[in-house]
Amino acid sequence: MRLLLATTTAATGALRGTGCALGMPTHFNPVGCVEISEVVEKIETTDHNNNVDKCFLFCNAKAGMDYFGVSGSTCWCGHFYRGAEVARGKESVVCDARCPGRPKETCGGEAAANVYRMIECVHGVEGEKRKQQEEEAYAKAKRQHLLDAFVLHDGMTCGQDEEAKIQVHGSETLVGSEDECKLACWDAYKCGGFTYDRDMSRCIFLFDTLSGERKEGRTNACYTKQVGGVNLRKVAKRVEQEAIDNVTRAALRD
């Protein structure tokens, strides 16, 4: 899952001809092609002339909505979502449906959606700067929250049941840091954790970290993902408020 507490990337998209209305999102950033597992506080509509702009118009008037997605004739809005972002190079295969109301645009696929994050309007250079600082602080705090969601069992592997292994982004293993393995596992809905080998800087992804015999070893570590009972809306709001508070304190010091 990337509680896909999702990060926003790529260039800002804007609805053509839309003015700046205080308190109402007027822009959106593409997140990417995402295999959605859950949308928190979801509002959905069907439009046989669906396209990205029409879905944005539907969602930006809904209070508390931060994301929207298009999949064929379906348009949904949500405060938060969980799902796996499709790897670069595979988007055109997974999100291959054309928008019925604008065939030049892509509207998700059979099991995925093109997801966008809505951005509130800001005024002037200082407003743009503050908004950027808040976005960066929020992304940093959100990333740290995801990293902290794993419980470490140091000095041992997770259970070594071969049938418990799972592929994340097409592979059962990843060569990288422990944090990179955490973020990759969080993106995958079925990933329950991983064994990390510090000598090889490699992790093995698992559906069940308790299945099978554990092996002790000084360079081994077992990480288990903790998601049960998490109130996603409260988490998002808390992280967002912490990010804003940090930016405000920094501005006062300056």
Side-chain angles (χ1 to χ4, degrees), residues 140-152 179 182-183 186 223-226 238:
K140 183 178 180 180
K142 181 172 60 179
R143 182 178 186 275
Q144 189 58 51
H145 169 76
L146 295 186
L147 297 178
D148 292 343
F150 285 81
V151 174
L152 169 64
D179 283 355
K182 287 180 184 181
L183 294 174
W186 188 270
Y223 284 94
T224 302
K225 181 164 59 178
Q226 301 294 302
R238 186 181 72 246

Side-chain angles (χ1 to χ4, degrees), residues 49-70:
N49 289 309
N50 193 31
N51 62 55
V52 177
D53 281 354
K54 288 189 74 173
C55 187
F56 172 69
L57 271 178
F58 173 77
C59 293
N60 78 334
K62 304 293 187 291
M65 299 294 107
D66 296 311
Y67 294 90
F68 72 94
V70 288

Side-chain angles (χ1 to χ4, degrees), residues 1-2 4 33-36 82-86 169 187-189:
M1 316 167 195
R2 204 193 285 206
L4 212 136
C33 176
V34 181
E35 294 176 324
I36 299 295
R82 290 165 50 196
E85 190 170 341
V86 176
H169 301 314
D187 284 351
Y189 178 67

Side-chain angles (χ1 to χ4, degrees), residues 71-123:
S71 183
S73 59
T74 299
C75 162
W76 58 259
C77 327
H79 172 65
F80 221 62
Y81 70 90
R82 290 165 50 196
E85 190 170 341
V86 176
R88 290 184 179 181
K90 295 184 179 181
E91 301 100 321
S92 60
V93 177
V94 179
C95 285
D96 59 350
R98 293 294 159 185
C99 297
R102 190 174 291 156
K104 291 183 178 180
E105 294 178 349
T106 302
C107 277
E110 184 176 348
N114 284 100
V115 178
Y116 298 84
R117 183 180 181 189
M118 295 188 287
I119 306 297
E120 286 191 15
C121 186
V122 292
H123 298 270

Side-chain angles (χ1 to χ4, degrees), residues 36-237:
I36 299 295
S37 58
E38 179 183 3
V39 178
V40 177
E41 299 186 10
K42 185 177 183 181
I43 298 175
E44 186 175 284
T45 186
T46 299
D47 186 341
H48 295 297
N49 289 309
N50 193 31
N51 62 55
V52 177
D53 281 354
K54 288 189 74 173
C55 187
F56 172 69
L57 271 178
F58 173 77
C59 293
N60 78 334
K62 304 293 187 291
M65 299 294 107
D66 296 311
Y67 294 90
F68 72 94
V70 288
S71 183
S73 59
T74 299
C75 162
W76 58 259
C77 327
H79 172 65
F80 221 62
Y81 70 90
R82 290 165 50 196
E85 190 170 341
V86 176
R88 290 184 179 181
K90 295 184 179 181
E91 301 100 321
S92 60
V93 177
V94 179
C95 285
D96 59 350
R98 293 294 159 185
C99 297
R102 190 174 291 156
K104 291 183 178 180
E105 294 178 349
T106 302
C107 277
E110 184 176 348
N114 284 100
V115 178
Y116 298 84
R117 183 180 181 189
M118 295 188 287
I119 306 297
E120 286 191 15
C121 186
V122 292
H123 298 270
V125 175
E126 287 303 316
E128 290 286 353
K129 182 179 178 181
R130 180 178 177 82
K131 190 70 176 179
Q132 182 179 359
Q133 289 175 330
E134 290 180 0
E135 290 270 341
E136 291 172 352
Y138 175 65
K140 183 178 180 180
K142 181 172 60 179
R143 182 178 186 275
Q144 189 58 51
H145 169 76
L146 295 186
L147 297 178
D148 292 343
F150 285 81
V151 174
L152 169 64
H153 305 277
D154 212 358
M156 66 176 65
T157 68
C158 300
Q160 298 185 83
D161 185 351
E162 287 293 320
E163 294 185 0
K165 291 182 179 179
I166 186 173
Q167 288 194 355
V168 173
H169 301 314
S171 177
E172 293 179 349
T173 64
L174 172 67
V175 176
S177 68
E178 290 168 71
D179 283 355
E180 287 172 326
C181 289
K182 287 180 184 181
L183 294 174
C185 181
W186 188 270
D187 284 351
Y189 178 67
K190 292 185 178 180
C191 182
F194 58 89
T195 290
Y196 191 79
D197 185 328
R198 295 191 176 104
D199 276 344
M200 301 181 68
S201 297
R202 184 186 71 175
C203 55
I204 301 173
F205 299 112
L206 302 165
F207 173 75
D208 183 355
T209 60
L210 300 178
S211 181
E213 184 180 355
R214 293 173 179 251
K215 179 181 177 182
E216 293 186 356
R218 181 177 56 83
T219 62
N220 292 329
C222 175
Y223 284 94
T224 302
K225 181 164 59 178
Q226 301 294 302
V227 295
V230 174
N231 186 315
L232 301 183
R233 180 175 176 81
K234 288 183 178 179
V235 168
K237 286 298 184 184

